[in-house]
Amino acid sequence: EQHQFDMAKSISQNYLDTNDKIYSLIKIARSMCDKEIFLDAKNVLNSCNALIKELKDGYNKNMIKKSLAEEFAFQGDLKTALSIAGNSYDTIKEIAFEMAKKGNWKLAESTSMKIAEISERHECWKGIAKEVSKEKGNKNALHKLNQFQNPEAKKYFLKGLADSFKIIDADKELILNVRGYYQDDIESMQKLLQQHALFELFFSNSNKDKIERFNRTLNIQWAMDVRNN
């Protein structure tokens, strides 16, 4: 296996285009990490970091820096990842997502706090919720809420989680379990209730009167029309 990786690294050096060379090396580093060849993986990433200096400033360089920072974060080198990210909000968000997926919640929170723009920081916390929900499921994601210390982080994590609930998940049990978290967030609670109304319409045997009550308060007439056609 080590011989194969050495060959792959040698092949990557034959790329004339520096962009292609770096992307090739990043893929090799990920493969090495998957095979638990961690030291060589780190060395390969360091060589990528050196190559970035050869690139002209612009979109391609920014995208490569984003990919490389994410890979350093994946391999647990947060300091280097953030150094590469600089002031790029998108890259910092991806690093925070990676920390959350690894279960490093304190690092995810501290990383997200490096985003100076408030609206972008909010989107980061919402994005973390969606990523964790996708990886672990909504219920498990909800249990991670108290890993955050910052009240603002908790608020927008919950908003992101509300956005990620699927109709098929929004049964009565779910609503009863989560409503306490959304007492002060009317907008998110309304989204969840709309999902629940659609669940009752499409996946439950609710009677007509119950569906009409949902429609009066949550405006699901469009969905009723779809179901009836």
Side-chain angles (χ1 to χ4, degrees), residues 42 46 49 68-69 72-73 77-85 95:
K42 181 69 177 294
N46 286 334
N49 206 8
L68 184 58
F72 269 108
D77 188 345
L78 180 61
K79 182 178 179 180
T80 303
L82 289 173
S83 175
I84 294 169
I95 294 170

Side-chain angles (χ1 to χ4, degrees), residues 12 36 39 58 70 88 96 103 141 164 177 184 193 207 216 220 225:
S12 74
E36 299 186 357
L39 182 59
E70 289 174 29
S88 170
S164 69
N177 287 337
D184 298 322
L193 289 174
N207 60 49
R216 284 195 295 273
I220 59 168
D225 293 341

Side-chain angles (χ1 to χ4, degrees), residues 14 16 52 54 75 87 92 112 114 129 132 138 145-147 152 165 182 188 195-196 199 214-215 218-219 221 223:
N14 294 326
L16 296 177
I52 282 180
E54 299 178 11
Q75 297 195 19
N87 294 322
I92 294 173
S112 65
K114 296 181 183 297
V132 176
N138 293 323
L145 176 66
N146 289 328
Q147 298 286 341
E152 196 177 22
F165 281 114
Y182 293 97
S188 293
Q195 294 291 74
H196 176 58
F199 173 87
F214 278 128
N215 187 37
L218 298 166
N219 190 22
Q221 184 62 51

Side-chain angles (χ1 to χ4, degrees), residues 17-55:
D17 184 84
T18 304
N19 295 333
D20 293 339
K21 185 184 293 186
I22 294 173
Y23 278 125
S24 173
L25 288 170
I26 290 173
K27 289 180 181 178
I28 291 169
R30 175 61 66 96
S31 296
M32 288 178 169
C33 196
D34 290 343
K35 297 290 185 180
E36 299 186 357
I37 309 175
F38 298 117
L39 182 59
D40 274 2
K42 181 69 177 294
N43 289 336
V44 169
L45 290 183
N46 286 334
S47 68
C48 292
N49 206 8
L51 285 170
I52 282 180
K53 297 175 183 177
E54 299 178 11
L55 300 176

Side-chain angles (χ1 to χ4, degrees), residues 121-159:
R121 195 161 64 237
H122 292 172
E123 288 302 313
C124 179
W125 290 322
K126 288 165 71 174
I128 288 174
K130 292 174 184 177
E131 287 289 327
V132 176
S133 178
K134 184 168 63 177
E135 293 274 331
K136 307 292 186 181
N138 293 323
K139 291 181 180 179
N140 286 330
L142 188 61
H143 292 155
K144 302 300 182 183
L145 176 66
N146 289 328
Q147 298 286 341
F148 288 112
Q149 302 301 310
N150 186 296
E152 196 177 22
K154 291 183 177 183
K155 176 181 177 180
Y156 284 90
F157 181 87
L158 282 170
K159 282 184 176 290

Side-chain angles (χ1 to χ4, degrees), residues 197-198 200-201 206-225 227-228:
L198 295 175
E200 292 290 334
L201 178 64
S206 297
N207 60 49
K208 184 177 179 179
D209 289 342
K210 185 175 184 180
I211 296 300
E212 287 292 348
R213 288 197 299 275
F214 278 128
N215 187 37
R216 284 195 295 273
T217 56
L218 298 166
N219 190 22
I220 59 168
Q221 184 62 51
W222 63 272
M224 294 168 64
D225 293 341
R227 185 176 184 276
N228 293 333

